[in-house]
Amino acid sequence: MAHAGVHDPVLVCLSIAIAMLASFVALDLAGRMKAATGFARRAWLTVAALVLGGGVWSMHFVAMLAFRLPGLEITYDLGLTLLSLALPVAVTAFGLAVAQRRKAGPGAIVAAGLVTGLGIVSMHYTGMAAMRLPAALHYDPAWVAASVLIAVGAATVAIRLTLRESGLALRIAASGAMGLAIAGMHYAAMQGLHVMQAGAADHAAIGAGIGQVRLAAGVTAVTFLVLTLALAAAAVDRRVSQRAAREAAALRASEERYRLLLQSVTDYAIFMLDRDGVVANWNAGARRIKGYEAEEIVGAHFSRFYTAEDRAEGAPARALATAAENGKFEAEGWRVRRDGTRFWASVVIDAIMGDDGRLVGFAKVTRDITERLRAQAALEQAQAALAQAQKMEALGQLTGGVAHDFNNLLMAVLGSLELLRKRLPEDPRLLRLLDNAVQGAERGAALTQRMLAFARRQELKPEPVDLARLVRNMTDLLQRSIGPGVRIETRFPVGLPPALVDAHQLELALLNLVVNARDAMPEGGLVTIAARLEHGEPAGEAAPTLCLAVTDTGIGMDEATLARAQEPFFTTKGVGRGTGLGLSMVHGVAAQSRGRLVLRSRPGTGTTAEIWLPVAAPVTAPATGSEEAARRPSSGRLLPSQVVLVVDDDPLVLENTAAMLEDLGHRVIEARSGREALDLVRRARTLDLVLTDHAMPEMTGLQLAARLAAERPGLRLILATGYADLTPEEAAGLPRLAKPYDQATLARMIAHVMQGTEASPADDGTVVPFSKSA
């Protein structure tokens, strides 16, 4: 007899809810497998399989409790019931494992759906086989097939949704689909169930199984376990998710700060290298310094930044090897930009080690320090120039002091020789020897003048000088001085303003430069004398300056010779061919004229010597010849004998000057210091003139002149000095006699002073007055 079953609607709804809840929790847990590895991945898989398998089993037996067969008692076989529990857990674990592989394709998803669906169907029919009742169960094959298709199709769709879901809504949809698949499969299979009661029931066989009350308790326990696992997994998952979210947020924030830091640094090129030296990333500083965009250089070897010479020598490989061995590599050297230009770089390469202590790659930091290198070179050059200037200043002070003392000696020698000439008999041999002595002393005087010119302590009379006219007037002298083998050319632009310089000293300087040019061209050549007006030369002056240049086509000078060329007594000529003071004198004249001497030369290309001079200010028209004649003393006027006080701390000079004055018919009083001179002036009743040296200890000639002007106003005074160590303010209105001087120059100066006139520029004695020059 056929038996029609009925279903309790409440329990049916409960079974469907259990299936959906179990599916939601299981699929959520299975989704965690994607982010896990190793043991964590296996743990999530086990929990998901227990939840889903247990949920399916609970749904099945809750649904079976909802099924009623009036008049029939139903029990369940314990073994098959437990097997029906283990079976969905196992197949669900297998299906989820296949579906959750990292590169699961469509085939893997279909296989997972097939296994999961068949597992659910197997669980259902195993649970049905566990039923013990006095009736025979028959299944409609069509409904069996329908249940299988429903289970497999729904399971496949649910797994596919699980893999794609990224939010709560999709997760609920996936769990709903899977829950309905499980419930649909169950009730489709129950629709094809036929119960046939064949006779009296075998109550003994029925009673041996699990009754529905026990089954209800078991289902409740399994359901409670499933829910407990679900809640525990949810709690763990929430904590893990929160911690993972915090860690992910911190990591993203750290990465963002790191990215911003690297991209904001433009003074340093910061990038990573792999173990082989291939560029892995690129920051803004690297783009600015090296010129490459990130897409151009990432993936290329860092040796591209090295020069061809360094690459040939294996410098990039040595740098990586040093960093790998020592942990760091530091160096400075030339590097190459994208456009091929070079820059001086400071490079640091740090080795990056992994957690296992193995080399992962390198961090490379490069800084462009070309400007620092240039500044260092400029500093060294300035220090060398300062040292040279200090050396030249020290030599100038030494030279000036030596020249002062030498002048005093020459005065004594020349004055004595001049007086001796007047007293010697007219013996040609004696006169020839005397002339030789005078010529030697005159050469010493010329040498002293050069020394004073280098020391910038000679007496100069700066005046407006037409450079073109000065050179034109000297052409014959210059040509005779250098001989026929050297040709002279001049180049002067029209309208060149006059220079402010001592014309006589400039002539001597020009003669020195031309003679040096001749000596640099032993086989002959060309000397070019040119002038030009420049603004801002030679050291950035705002006022215009004049450049008088002498250029030869000679052998030139190397750097070492050029650096020492202006030093006193330095010469490349042979013994007896030069004193080494020619360029030193030119340098001194230029510097004392508020200009400078500039030398440019290279071996084989000749030498150019440039004298830079200030431009003279406009002057009024010169005095007429009659006015000049009125100011000059009459050469025919006789000067009467005067009482002269001679003051000098050098006994030789004092004695020689007194002898020249006495020979001129004057009365002489001698004093060896300024204080002694003051005492003599206070005691002397008659005194017409004071002739005093300037450079004396305790009291200088200027100080003595100031004291005499206060005590004896109107007393005439002549200041004798060997070099120009006086400022224009100090020497204003004070007659000066340059050492060394001869008797004729002394007589002219006394005549000018005593007759109340000033010495003319041609007769003031500031130029060595001897007729023969060295």
Side-chain angles (χ1 to χ4, degrees):
M1 178 180 65
H3 230 293
V6 294
H7 289 84
D8 186 343
V10 176
L11 293 177
V12 170
C13 292
L14 178 61
S15 67
I16 296 173
I18 291 174
M20 290 183 176
L21 178 61
S23 298
F24 177 83
V25 175
L27 293 178
D28 181 67
L29 296 176
R32 301 299 173 186
M33 295 168 56
K34 293 185 291 185
T37 57
F39 175 78
R41 181 181 177 85
R42 292 191 294 272
W44 285 120
L45 175 63
T46 301
V47 174
L50 287 173
V51 170
L52 183 57
V56 170
W57 185 84
S58 297
M59 172 268 159
H60 171 76
F61 281 100
V62 169
M64 290 306 297
L65 290 175
F67 181 66
R68 295 286 187 268
L69 291 173
L72 295 179
E73 181 181 358
I74 302 175
T75 60
Y76 293 89
D77 182 76
L78 178 61
L80 290 176
T81 300
L82 294 177
L83 177 61
S84 67
L85 174 61
L87 189 61
V89 172
V91 297
T92 300
F94 178 77
L96 291 174
V98 172
Q100 295 293 331
R101 287 187 302 175
R102 295 194 177 275
K103 295 184 179 181
I109 295 174
V110 171
L114 178 62
V115 171
T116 304
L118 291 178
I120 294 172
V121 172
S122 299
M123 179 278 305
H124 172 78
Y125 286 103
T126 301
M128 294 297 294
M131 293 178 62
R132 296 290 182 263
L133 71 166
L137 303 179
H138 299 280
Y139 300 96
D140 187 344
W143 284 105
V144 171
S147 65
V148 171
L149 290 177
I150 292 172
V152 173
T156 302
V157 172
I159 291 174
R160 177 61 179 168
L161 290 174
T162 302
L163 295 178
R164 295 181 58 186
E165 63 89 13
S166 60
L168 180 62
L170 285 178
R171 190 180 304 130
I172 292 174
S175 61
M178 195 163 188
L180 289 175
I182 296 171
M185 177 278 305
H186 175 84
Y187 288 107
M190 293 301 292
Q191 184 66 31
L193 175 65
H194 299 287
V195 181
M196 303 297 293
Q197 187 174 4
D202 186 358
H203 296 285
I206 295 172
I210 301 174
Q212 287 188 329
V213 175
R214 293 182 181 179
L215 180 60
V219 170
T220 302
V222 172
T223 303
F224 178 77
L225 177 62
V226 168
L227 292 176
T228 301
L229 288 173
L231 291 174
V236 172
D237 180 63
R238 184 164 52 252
R239 291 186 179 181
V240 171
S241 297
Q242 291 174 350
R243 184 172 62 184
R246 290 194 299 269
E247 293 177 353
L251 179 60
R252 286 194 300 271
S254 176
E255 291 177 347
E256 182 64 15
R257 288 194 297 270
Y258 176 72
R259 187 187 67 81
L260 291 175
L261 173 63
L262 289 185
Q263 291 304 320
S264 62
V265 174
T266 58
D267 290 339
Y268 293 83
I270 305 174
F271 51 95
M272 308 294 293
L273 306 175
D274 65 11
R275 289 183 297 178
D276 298 324
V278 175
V279 179
N281 57 15
W282 202 242
N283 80 322
R287 182 172 62 252
R288 185 188 68 82
I289 294 175
K290 298 181 182 290
Y292 292 94
E293 296 295 334
E295 56 271 15
E296 294 179 295
I297 200 64
V298 172
H301 199 269
F302 86 112
S303 60
R304 178 179 299 186
F305 310 134
Y306 283 73
T307 63
E309 299 85 356
D310 289 343
R311 289 198 299 270
E313 295 176 359
R318 286 200 304 273
L320 294 185
T322 302
E325 181 179 356
N326 303 328
K328 177 181 285 189
F329 169 81
E330 294 184 71
E332 291 184 3
W334 290 110
R335 296 295 183 267
V336 183
R337 306 185 205 272
R338 184 179 183 274
D339 59 3
T341 59
R342 296 189 178 192
F343 66 98
W344 190 258
S346 172
V347 178
V348 178
I349 302 177
D350 289 302
I352 302 176
M353 300 296 180
D355 295 336
D356 57 357
R358 299 179 62 184
L359 179 66
V360 175
F362 302 92
K364 189 171 185 291
V365 180
T366 302
R367 187 181 182 189
D368 183 356
I369 58 172
T370 307
E371 291 303 322
R372 191 182 78 182
L373 180 68
R374 291 173 180 169
Q376 182 66 27
L379 177 61
E380 293 175 356
Q381 184 177 5
Q383 290 174 340
L386 176 61
Q388 179 71 9
Q390 292 173 337
K391 180 175 68 174
M392 298 293 284
E393 181 65 23
L395 287 173
Q397 293 177 357
L398 174 63
T399 304
V402 171
H404 173 264
D405 294 339
F406 197 30
N407 261 339
N408 288 338
L409 297 177
L410 289 174
M411 269 207 60
V413 172
L414 287 170
S416 299
L417 291 175
E418 189 171 9
L419 295 176
L420 185 60
R421 175 184 291 276
K422 295 181 178 181
R423 291 165 174 76
L424 282 178
E426 293 295 328
D427 187 343
R429 290 181 300 176
L430 293 178
L431 293 178
R432 185 169 62 253
L433 292 175
L434 185 63
D435 289 341
N436 289 339
V438 171
Q439 289 180 10
E442 289 177 349
R443 292 182 62 180
L447 180 62
T448 303
Q449 289 298 313
R450 292 187 176 187
M451 294 170 66
L452 289 173
F454 166 73
R456 292 174 252 175
R457 294 181 177 178
Q458 64 178 341
E459 183 72 24
L460 295 183
K461 291 290 184 181
E463 59 183 342
V465 175
D466 186 339
L467 297 181
R469 179 180 298 177
L470 181 141
V471 173
R472 186 167 55 250
N473 293 339
M474 291 183 64
T475 302
D476 292 340
L477 172 63
L478 295 176
Q479 191 64 64
R480 288 196 303 272
S481 299
I482 61 179
V486 178
R487 185 164 50 91
I488 296 179
E489 286 186 0
T490 58
R491 298 174 184 174
F492 290 89
V494 178
L496 200 66
L500 184 62
V501 67
D502 186 311
H504 178 70
Q505 295 298 328
L506 183 60
E507 289 176 350
L508 291 178
L510 188 59
L511 181 61
N512 270 292
L513 294 179
V514 172
V515 170
N516 283 345
R518 177 204 63 188
D519 294 341
M521 300 181 293
E523 298 181 0
L526 174 65
V527 174
T528 302
I529 305 175
R532 67 180 186 273
L533 178 66
E534 291 283 351
H535 293 270
E537 288 286 347
E541 297 92 339
T545 52
L546 286 165
C547 175
L548 180 63
V550 177
T551 303
D552 64 58
T553 58
I555 58 177
M557 293 181 283
D558 56 25
E559 292 185 3
T561 304
L562 187 63
R564 299 190 59 194
Q566 300 183 45
E567 293 183 8
F569 307 111
F570 175 79
T571 180
T572 58
K573 303 175 184 179
V575 177
R577 296 190 59 193
T579 61
L581 284 172
L583 286 178
S584 302
M585 184 272 290
V586 178
H587 162 78
V589 169
Q592 198 170 355
S593 302
R594 294 184 294 112
R596 64 183 297 191
L597 172 66
V598 178
L599 296 178
R600 295 185 175 91
S601 182
R602 285 191 302 174
T605 61
T607 300
T608 297
E610 297 178 345
I611 303 176
W612 290 88
L613 298 169
V615 175
V619 296
T620 58
T624 62
S626 59
E627 292 173 344
E628 290 185 9
R631 287 201 303 265
R632 293 186 182 182
S634 173
S635 59
R637 293 177 59 184
L638 298 177
L639 184 67
S641 176
Q642 306 291 326
V643 179
V644 182
L645 173 61
V646 180
V647 187
D648 203 305
D649 62 321
D650 191 317
L652 293 178
V653 176
L654 181 63
E655 182 179 355
N656 181 75
T657 304
M660 288 192 293
L661 288 171
E662 290 173 349
D663 186 66
L664 291 172
H666 302 296
R667 294 174 56 197
V668 179
I669 303 174
E670 300 179 9
R672 289 174 174 78
S673 68
R675 297 189 181 279
E676 184 180 351
L678 286 175
D679 293 338
L680 291 174
V681 168
R682 291 164 185 162
R683 295 198 303 267
R685 295 183 179 180
T686 304
L687 186 61
D688 302 308
L689 176 67
V690 176
L691 174 62
T692 178
D693 186 25
H694 171 62
M696 297 184 296
E698 297 184 0
M699 182 181 295
T700 66
L702 278 179
Q703 293 170 339
L704 175 61
R707 295 285 294 273
L708 290 178
E711 296 184 14
R712 294 281 295 269
L715 180 61
R716 306 296 178 88
L717 184 141
I718 299 174
L719 183 68
T721 179
Y723 53 94
D725 56 351
L726 308 178
T727 64
E729 294 78 12
E730 292 174 333
L734 191 63
R736 284 176 293 166
L737 183 63
K739 290 182 178 181
Y741 50 83
D742 59 4
Q743 191 177 38
T745 304
L746 178 61
R748 286 198 302 272
M749 179 59 71
I750 293 175
H752 288 311
V753 172
M754 298 309 297
Q755 292 176 7
T757 61
E758 295 181 1
S760 67
D763 300 327
D764 63 359
T766 58
V767 178
V768 178
F770 308 117
S771 57
K772 298 180 181 180
S773 60

